[in-house]
Amino acid sequence: MSVADGGRQWPDEVSVENARATLLQLLARAGVPSDDARQLIGLLEAGALALAHEELSGDSVRPGSTPGDKGQPYESGRLDGARDVLEELGALAERTLVRAVGAEGEQGAAAERPRARRMEVERARVAVTPLYLSFTAVSELDPEVTDEVLAAVLGTMSPRQRAGYAGRLTEFAADHRARLERMFAGYGPDSAITMHGRYSLLHSATSIAVLERLAAAPRELREEWDAVELPPAWLDGLATAWDAPA
């Protein structure tokens, strides 16, 4: 439809595929493996559908949300139609997510927790860094160590859980803000505690990710921690700082 027709100027299927192919090529030039790039694009597509579902699930399915009084039969039909559309939109979001990360299997099963991919580690880093900086100053561990810690953290989750991990981290930080502030003030980069030793992880953005897993999946975290041979003292020191009295 042309601009002169006055319709919505939405991208058609060919244009969407063109944008996807362009993004894949650009990511390939940046060294991102094609499987990682496709998963990242799939997560964006599934997320857009899920956010649209969430936005439309409010007023559109609430009785009386249509301006004017067109009668009960009209209102009843409108609500039924809106619910049907929302149900299909939700199903479409689910199918898109499954294509990106696979179907969810048994929670915690070893087969459902494959080794974290580079792109998943990077997504976790992008999620946790601004949360960490909202509590304390920059004082990172060696980047290679950071990747190893995040890989251990992600190893406790299925790909489906990793897809929503940024939201989980944000919720954890919001729910425990006061406790995190006290912990970083007492043991973090601005405290008298040095970077080296059992409290080393308090000098890394990964500390928030590790704490969230200690709360949600402590057994799985210790299994992954031992598997990648990270210092047990780091985990114990973080737990001690977290449990320190106010």
Side-chain angles (χ1 to χ4, degrees):
M1 183 177 288
S2 69
V3 176
D5 293 329
R8 291 190 177 96
Q9 300 305 301
W10 289 348
D12 56 27
E13 183 177 356
V14 174
S15 298
V16 171
E17 287 301 322
N18 173 264
R20 182 184 290 110
T22 302
L23 183 53
L24 285 169
Q25 289 185 22
L26 291 172
L27 290 172
R29 291 174 193 169
V32 179
S34 60
D35 286 348
D36 285 353
R38 290 183 185 281
Q39 185 183 94
L40 194 58
I41 293 172
L43 289 174
L44 288 171
E45 293 172 338
L49 292 167
L51 291 175
H53 181 277
E54 181 179 351
E55 181 175 348
L56 294 173
S57 294
D59 291 343
S60 64
V61 293
R62 190 179 65 204
S65 58
T66 303
D69 184 8
K70 297 186 179 181
Q72 181 58 36
Y74 175 88
E75 178 68 2
S76 178
R78 184 194 70 81
L79 289 174
D80 288 343
R83 293 187 184 108
D84 287 345
V85 170
L86 278 173
E87 183 176 352
E88 180 54 34
L89 181 59
L92 180 57
E94 175 66 20
R95 292 195 297 271
T96 304
L97 183 57
V98 167
R99 283 199 300 271
V101 301
E104 185 73 301
E106 182 182 351
Q107 294 289 326
E112 296 299 328
R113 296 191 277 117
R115 183 174 180 81
R117 295 156 63 169
R118 179 185 127 189
M119 182 266 292
E120 291 174 319
V121 171
E122 188 60 30
R123 279 172 31 217
R125 186 201 302 274
V126 169
V128 79
T129 299
L131 294 175
Y132 178 78
L133 294 178
S134 71
F135 294 104
T136 188
V138 176
S139 182
E140 261 300 1
L141 289 178
D142 182 275
E144 183 176 343
V145 174
T146 296
D147 287 351
E148 292 174 356
V149 172
L150 288 177
V153 165
L154 293 170
T156 67
M157 291 175 270
S158 68
R160 178 67 172 264
Q161 291 169 322
R162 294 170 192 172
Y165 189 46
R168 184 190 292 266
L169 280 172
T170 300
E171 183 178 355
F172 175 82
D175 289 345
H176 301 284
R177 172 156 289 276
R179 191 173 179 182
L180 286 165
E181 287 175 345
R182 290 195 300 270
M183 183 189 69
F184 283 114
Y187 299 88
D190 292 330
S191 73
I193 303 295
T194 65
M195 179 174 176
H196 304 288
R198 69 195 309 251
Y199 298 112
S200 293
L201 279 188
L202 273 298
H203 294 256
S204 168
T206 62
S207 54
I208 295 177
V210 175
L211 283 171
E212 190 279 330
R213 289 289 88 189
L214 275 175
R219 179 179 61 82
E220 292 86 349
L221 178 62
R222 290 190 182 275
E223 289 176 356
E224 294 294 330
W225 203 265
D226 292 340
V228 297
E229 299 181 343
L230 287 166
W234 287 2
L235 201 54
D236 295 337
L238 186 59
T240 298
W242 180 246
D243 292 332

